[in-house]
């Protein structure tokens, strides 16, 4: 049980980090314009975006939560495969968007 909760926590933290890195890359890509904003505004952007990142990460973790909840009814190998089949396409789609 604790192992499953730890996995979900790490899964949510992965998505938060993924979104934050994406935001930082976006700011770095537009550095000539971003440099004019000042460090307080850039830090504020990263911090205020953290709430949206947490929300998005929790939405994306809903399917893995359901898969883990059904873990007692399906084989662990099947659960891992389902998580991979869900996570990899979602990473690709989120990276493109």
């Amino acid at each position: 049980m604790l192992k499953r909760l730890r996995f979900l926590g790490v899964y949510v933290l992965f998505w938060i980090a993924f979104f934050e890195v994406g935001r930082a890359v976006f700011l770095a890509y537009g550095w000539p314009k971003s440099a004019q904003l000042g460090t307080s505004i850039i830090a504020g952007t990263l911090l205020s975006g953290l709430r949206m990142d947490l929300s998005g990460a929790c939405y994306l973790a809903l399917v893995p939560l359901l898969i883990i909840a059904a873990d007692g009814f399906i084989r662990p190998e099947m659960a891992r495969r389902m998580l991979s089949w869900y996570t990899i396409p979602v990473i690709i789609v989120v990276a493109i968007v």
Side-chain angles (χ1 to χ4, degrees):
M1 176 71 170
L2 186 61
K3 192 175 180 181
R4 292 176 183 141
L5 288 174
R6 188 177 306 134
F7 169 77
L8 282 174
V10 170
Y11 194 84
V12 169
L13 287 175
F14 164 77
W15 281 111
I16 291 171
F18 188 85
F19 292 141
E20 285 293 318
V21 168
R23 186 173 294 105
V25 167
F26 176 77
L27 288 171
Y29 177 77
W31 183 248
K33 301 264 185 194
S34 298
Q36 297 171 357
L37 296 175
T39 56
S40 64
I41 294 178
I42 291 174
T45 301
L46 293 172
L47 287 175
S48 66
L50 193 59
R51 279 188 300 183
M52 291 187 299
D53 295 340
L54 180 61
S55 174
C58 288
Y59 282 122
L60 292 174
L62 184 62
V63 172
L65 173 69
L66 295 173
I67 292 171
I68 289 172
D71 194 30
F73 303 105
I74 57 177
R75 294 188 319 253
E77 304 86 36
M78 182 65 144
R80 276 189 231 111
R81 192 175 305 136
M82 290 169 68
L83 286 169
S84 295
W85 280 82
Y86 170 76
T87 302
I88 293 170
V90 170
I91 288 172
I92 293 168
V93 169
V94 169
I96 290 172
V97 171

